[in-house]
Amino acid sequence: MPENFISIALAGNPNCGKSTIFNAITGAHQHVGNYPGITVEKKEGFAASDGQSVKVIDLPGTYSLTAYSLEERVARRVLLNERPNVVIDIADAGTLDRHLYLAVQLMEMGIPFVLGLNMMDEARQKGISINLELLSKRLGIPVVPTVGRTGEGVRELLAVACRTAREHAGHPWRPRRLSYGPDLDVALVEMVSLIEKQSFLTALFPARWIALKYLEADSEIIRIGRGADEKTSSALENMVQEVTGHLSQTLETYPEAVISDYRYGYISALLRDGVVSSPENARNRMAFSEKIDKVLTQRLIGPIVMLAVMYLMYKVTFSVGEIPMGWIQAFFGWLAEFVDGIMPDGLVKSLVVSGVIEGVGGLFGFVPLIVVVFLFIAVLDDSGYMARIAYMLDRIFHFFGLHGCSVMPFIISGGIAGGCAVPGIMATRTLRSSKERLATILTAPFFSCGAKLPVFLLISAVFFPERGPLVMFLLTLAGWLVALLIARLLRSTVISGAGTPFVMELPPYRLPTLKGVLIHTWERTFAYIKKAGTVVLAITIVIWAAMTYPRLPAAESAKYASDEEMQMAALRHSIAGRIGVALENVTQYAGFDWRGNIALIGGFGAKEVIVSTLGTAYSLSGNEEENNENLIQRIREDQHWRDNTPAAISFLLFVLLYSPCFMAVVVIAKEAGSWRWGLFSVIFNTLVAFAASVVIYQVGRLL
Amino acid sequence: MMHNTAMPAQAEEHPRAVELKDMAVGESGSVVRICAVGELGRRIRDMGIIPGSRLCVTGRAPLNDPLTIRLRGYTLSLRGSEAAYILVEPD
């Protein structure tokens, strides 16, 4: 053990309040969710207990420590590779027996751990009483009751964990020797003796645990084993095969099932004879949740309420979010004007005003919208309703080759207009199947994210004045339709194959805490602001450069009567302008002229850029707010756009569907694990968008 | 030292056993057999469904699938196609 600090890993099932305990221990800001498996990332925090420094690692919430899901693999790797000094296993006191399944697996691993019995208040309310002393004695480990929400017992839990770490310091892990019945016990003994004799992986894992994992047919451990010592590994595999054959003949079962049966048997033996006593009316909270579910997931009322909730979110986001959005836009408008006034004319000014202030200002303008969207999502998530949405929609999503859990990433991405694909794609980590996850990642950019909204607003203001909300709603629906159809297409072609079990816990409804919701919202918003501050700033500058260089020769620029006309000519002369003009050959079929093309190229950097680029392309300059009105006027009068409704619809669709912005592509590549998928989304989405636009435009012109 | 473990219930002949997916809302029973293997089997057991577990069907999603069951003091949802692997002897 390092002398300076004790490392503690926090383990536990999803929805057991583990994150709340983590916050209480470290004071660190992080998400507390009700959605199974929301914390996939490894989170660390520091704390002190009686002068002892402590490092706490928050493991992903898992039900088990098999190699079933990403979360489980992550949790297990941290335990085995980083070897924390002690584990705190958090269990929901109200559903102790299921939670102990994880504890038993920690015992099998042999890692020192203590049990935190969380949500003792809820358990008490239910009338459940737990004989802590007896439980601790039978488990052979310390048990500390806690209430994460109030912080009750958390200090003591930490102190007990530190004490346990000190007691076990310097000792090797001692796997608990559970019995798994006569057949497996014999096999285990033989396997362990072989493992020890050959020193097979024993530097990495305890021998008995290795044998157990081989019996469980754990793909990850077997892979490591084969890599380390092919011969011993195959000898072990033969032994497993033998006992498997025997079990299947005599009991019609297989080792993995037998092992888990005995684990549960062990748990019920632990809890027997008055460790847990619950009166007949103990199902208080569950009964309460069930009553709510009777209404909220009812055949008819359920979907109506769900749609109403989504529509309400949508409405409130815009009516409330727009107010501070106006302030921020006004501020950046003022800032641009101010800088415009104090700086000498020239390239630097153009870079600062058109590049930096407009680019970053555009992104910050969306912060209020994002705050409201994330506030809603945090409330839905923490209350337990999000899991019900997944439950109600799974039937539909499953049909399209997705998973009920794809709902949340879609909603965050802009399934309710105003999201952002970046956090949306990150939210796909809750999905357990790589195939469904990949399909969700690749289709998330099709939604009406917040950055596309100003374009939609602009174009609707030009062509469909007074009908903006309807256009927005139809585009949101179009996003859903395309995402689902493309998901189905992808799942039956490039990412075909069977899906993952849906088997998902519906956590009891809980009133979200203000603190939890605020932390959650702040974290997501901060991630967005960071994006504004870094990558997007860089890309804005690159795109600014593409739209500025090469510059118009002085002789040329003298020809233009007004500054605005000169700027337009300069834009046409720039790299972006030339590409835009060249692309007209192709994009004419979809009804875009060179101005639209440049704007769309700029939109690859960030979709917000589309509107400001259109502004430049229509030779506007200066104050943004006046500009919007002017731009609407300009586009309305432009000969390309005039009375060209098919071109407008085609442009809207293209903006909705074409290549994800640069930032989203980076995240796609990272989350999908390969740059190939990032590149795929750029090309594939643009092709999809182009196909849709051409069809709409050509059909529209015929009508 | 070996710890005491209860003998798990064995899958014997259960003529009354039905697939979980065919149970009506409100019906309860005891699991007699999990026919799933591999990942699904593991997931089902991880969530506490093993031979001998008591469960009660508490609801169905608006489109009839997935369904929800209550067991071990919590609520679990699973698809009908997955529930088909769980044999239950209704009370």
Side-chain angles (χ1 to χ4, degrees):
Chain A
M1 186 194 307
E3 281 165 350
N4 46 356
F5 66 83
I6 290 177
S7 64
I8 298 178
L10 266 184
N13 287 184
N15 308 305
C16 68
K18 192 164 64 66
S19 301
T20 323
I21 298 270
F22 179 68
N23 286 339
I25 291 178
T26 62
H29 292 175
Q30 74 134 63
H31 168 62
V32 186
N34 238 346
Y35 199 77
I38 195 80
T39 49
V40 176
E41 279 179 336
K42 195 178 110 192
K43 293 187 175 162
E44 295 184 336
F46 289 88
S49 172
D50 301 328
Q52 167 73 60
S53 302
V54 172
K55 183 176 96 167
V56 188
I57 308 162
D58 189 22
L59 300 177
T62 60
Y63 295 102
S64 175
L65 286 175
T66 55
Y68 166 70
S69 69
L70 191 64
E71 290 94 334
E72 286 171 11
R73 283 198 293 272
V74 168
R76 202 167 75 176
R77 269 180 216 150
V78 172
L79 293 178
L80 292 167
N81 300 346
E82 301 189 15
R83 300 253 169 171
N85 302 119
V86 64
V87 174
I88 297 179
D89 179 21
I90 306 292
D92 178 352
T95 52
L96 189 55
D97 62 347
R98 198 200 69 210
H99 283 255
L100 284 178
Y101 192 67
L102 183 66
V104 169
Q105 292 182 64
L106 291 172
M107 289 177 183
E108 290 170 340
M109 206 178 256
I111 190 166
F113 76 106
V114 300
L115 189 69
L117 273 192
N118 196 28
M119 303 195 178
M120 282 302 280
D121 53 341
E122 275 184 21
R124 279 194 288 260
Q125 264 177 30
K126 288 187 201 172
I128 296 174
S129 69
I130 298 171
N131 185 337
L132 296 168
E133 233 169 281
L134 189 58
L135 178 64
S136 167
K137 203 178 126 215
R138 289 199 184 156
L139 284 168
I141 57 158
V143 176
V144 182
T146 58
V147 180
R149 284 178 176 226
T150 61
E152 187 188 318
V154 171
R155 285 286 122 201
E156 205 203 331
L157 178 63
L158 191 60
V160 169
C162 289
R163 201 165 63 227
T164 307
R166 274 185 226 109
E167 283 166 13
H168 287 264
H171 297 294
W173 289 2
R174 284 211 310 267
R176 193 79 60 96
R177 298 185 55 197
L178 268 61
S179 166
Y180 306 99
D183 296 314
L184 292 187
D185 283 347
V186 171
L188 265 174
V189 169
E190 280 174 29
M191 291 169 75
V192 167
S193 85
L194 177 68
I195 289 167
E196 282 172 346
K197 202 172 106 202
Q198 302 293 333
S199 299
F200 178 73
L201 299 181
T202 45
L204 301 173
F205 319 120
R208 191 176 165 88
W209 189 79
I210 300 169
L212 204 55
K213 291 297 128 180
Y214 265 81
L215 282 170
E216 284 186 304
D218 186 299
S219 53
E220 197 183 21
I221 299 300
I222 293 175
R223 202 189 61 235
I224 296 172
R226 281 179 188 159
D229 178 353
E230 181 107 42
K231 201 169 138 252
T232 313
S233 181
S234 67
L236 288 171
E237 284 168 55
N238 285 339
M239 288 158 122
V240 172
Q241 213 165 18
E242 202 173 303
V243 71
T244 305
H246 181 69
L247 281 176
S248 112
Q249 274 175 7
T250 55
L251 299 169
E252 287 182 48
T253 182
Y254 55 104
E256 203 190 341
V258 174
I259 290 169
S260 86
D261 286 353
Y262 273 90
R263 281 182 190 140
Y264 282 110
Y266 178 61
I267 292 166
S268 48
L270 278 172
L271 297 179
R272 201 175 283 157
D273 310 324
V275 171
V276 180
S277 63
S278 52
E280 257 318 288
N281 59 0
R283 296 179 15 234
N284 243 328
R285 177 159 299 264
M286 214 58 229
F288 172 68
S289 277
E290 254 168 45
K291 268 184 205 148
I292 299 181
D293 272 337
K294 282 264 181 306
V295 181
L296 289 188
T297 63
Q298 201 268 345
R299 201 166 294 263
L300 198 64
I301 305 171
I304 292 173
V305 170
M306 181 170 65
L307 285 176
V309 166
M310 288 179 176
Y311 187 71
L312 187 79
M313 255 178 90
Y314 175 82
K315 269 302 218 197
V316 173
T317 303
F318 284 93
S319 48
V320 174
E322 259 177 10
I323 302 165
M325 194 175 161
W327 300 338
I328 292 175
Q329 280 175 347
F331 169 76
F332 278 97
W334 169 83
L335 189 69
E337 224 172 308
F338 175 74
V339 173
D340 194 46
I342 58 163
M343 280 178 74
D345 281 349
L347 271 182
V348 180
K349 178 165 138 178
S350 159
L351 171 64
V352 173
V353 176
S354 312
V356 178
I357 297 181
E358 261 177 39
V360 175
L363 273 172
F364 271 99
F366 287 98
V367 167
L369 287 188
I370 283 177
V371 168
V372 180
V373 167
F374 284 164
L375 257 170
F376 270 109
I377 288 171
V379 170
L380 292 183
D381 205 3
D382 293 357
S383 64
Y385 189 64
M386 194 65 93
R388 270 71 184 185
I389 294 181
Y391 164 66
M392 283 190 275
L393 287 176
D394 181 69
R395 184 71 194 83
I396 298 170
F397 276 67
H398 189 46
F399 175 78
F400 291 103
L402 298 164
H403 191 277
C405 290
S406 307
V407 176
M408 188 158 82
F410 278 179
I411 288 176
I412 297 174
S413 297
I416 292 164
C420 174
V422 170
I425 290 164
M426 286 172 159
T428 59
R429 291 179 190 179
T430 53
L431 276 156
R432 284 156 194 277
S433 140
S434 51
K435 293 196 183 92
E436 283 138 341
R437 182 159 176 254
L438 191 55
T440 310
I441 288 172
L442 292 175
T443 47
F446 288 127
F447 291 94
S448 314
C449 77
K452 293 171 189 167
L453 295 187
V455 191
F456 298 163
L457 287 172
L458 176 76
I459 301 293
S460 355
V462 175
F463 291 91
F464 315 100
E466 313 301 317
R467 275 185 291 169
L470 178 71
V471 171
M472 214 65 99
F473 189 67
L474 290 177
L475 281 167
T476 307
L477 282 186
W480 276 96
L481 192 70
V482 172
L484 290 175
L485 289 176
I486 295 291
R488 177 80 204 238
L489 177 73
L490 292 174
R491 285 287 278 116
S492 48
T493 52
V494 276
I495 23 179
S496 60
T500 322
F502 178 73
V503 187
M504 183 184 84
E505 183 182 0
L506 293 185
Y509 286 104
R510 292 193 174 106
L511 206 61
T513 61
L514 188 64
K515 189 181 159 198
V517 168
L518 289 182
I519 288 176
H520 191 163
T521 307
W522 162 245
E523 276 184 348
R524 286 180 170 163
T525 309
F526 185 68
Y528 181 84
I529 293 174
K530 245 178 30 196
K531 164 188 164 188
T534 53
V535 179
V536 167
L537 178 59
I539 286 298
T540 313
I541 292 171
V542 169
I543 285 172
W544 169 83
M547 296 197 301
T548 308
Y549 295 99
R551 304 186 61 201
L552 210 55
E556 280 280 315
S557 52
K559 281 195 230 158
Y560 296 95
S562 72
D563 270 4
E564 283 80 16
E565 280 176 31
M566 193 265 288
Q567 277 177 2
M568 187 188 87
L571 181 62
R572 199 183 164 121
H573 187 74
S574 70
I575 296 179
R578 289 170 198 201
I579 297 175
V581 173
L583 282 177
E584 262 188 351
N585 291 325
V586 185
T587 59
Q588 54 172 318
Y589 299 106
F592 311 152
D593 67 347
W594 67 275
R595 292 185 177 91
N597 290 349
I598 300 179
L600 291 169
I601 292 168
F604 173 68
K607 302 278 155 82
E608 293 88 339
V609 175
I610 296 175
V611 171
S612 60
T613 312
L614 276 177
T616 315
Y618 283 97
S619 46
L620 294 165
S621 65
N623 185 292
E624 207 172 289
E625 231 171 289
E626 289 171 26
N627 257 358
N628 225 357
E629 275 311 302
N630 289 340
L631 184 55
I632 291 169
Q633 204 56 39
R634 270 317 151 88
I635 294 178
R636 196 173 283 152
E637 286 159 9
D638 183 73
Q639 58 166 4
H640 168 73
W641 290 104
R642 195 185 300 149
D643 298 325
N644 198 348
T645 311
I649 300 174
S650 155
F651 192 74
L652 285 172
L653 261 183
F654 194 84
V655 170
L656 177 71
L657 304 176
Y658 87 114
S659 167
C661 69
F662 178 75
M663 195 54 207
V665 173
V666 172
V667 178
I668 288 170
K670 203 175 124 234
E671 295 296 321
S674 158
W675 275 102
R676 287 211 319 261
W677 288 119
L679 194 66
F680 175 86
S681 71
V682 171
I683 297 167
F684 179 74
N685 292 17
T686 306
L687 288 178
V688 168
F690 189 67
S693 290
V694 168
V695 169
I696 286 290
Y697 183 64
Q698 298 301 338
V699 170
R701 273 162 55 98
L702 287 179
L703 295 178
Chain B
M1 180 189 93
M2 288 289 193
H3 288 260
N4 283 330
T5 43
M7 188 59 199
Q10 294 298 337
E12 291 146 13
E13 282 307 304
H14 293 276
R16 285 180 51 242
V18 296
E19 290 175 7
L20 174 59
K21 74 167 170 52
D22 296 327
M23 284 172 71
V25 172
E27 223 177 333
S28 58
S30 303
V31 176
V32 293
R33 190 173 168 81
I34 317 283
C35 309
V37 292
E39 195 176 302
L40 178 60
R42 181 180 299 158
R43 180 67 171 162
I44 287 173
R45 287 191 303 272
D46 283 353
M47 300 309 290
I49 305 174
I50 54 160
S53 299
R54 300 275 312 149
L55 55 79
C56 171
V57 180
T58 52
R60 280 178 182 277
L63 296 170
N64 222 27
D65 192 41
L67 53 100
T68 55
I69 57 172
R70 192 184 58 240
L71 78 157
R72 297 177 189 266
Y74 81 102
T75 303
L76 184 73
S77 63
L78 69 175
R79 292 181 186 139
S81 56
E82 294 148 7
Y85 289 100
I86 301 167
L87 290 185
V88 182
E89 192 166 76
D91 293 341

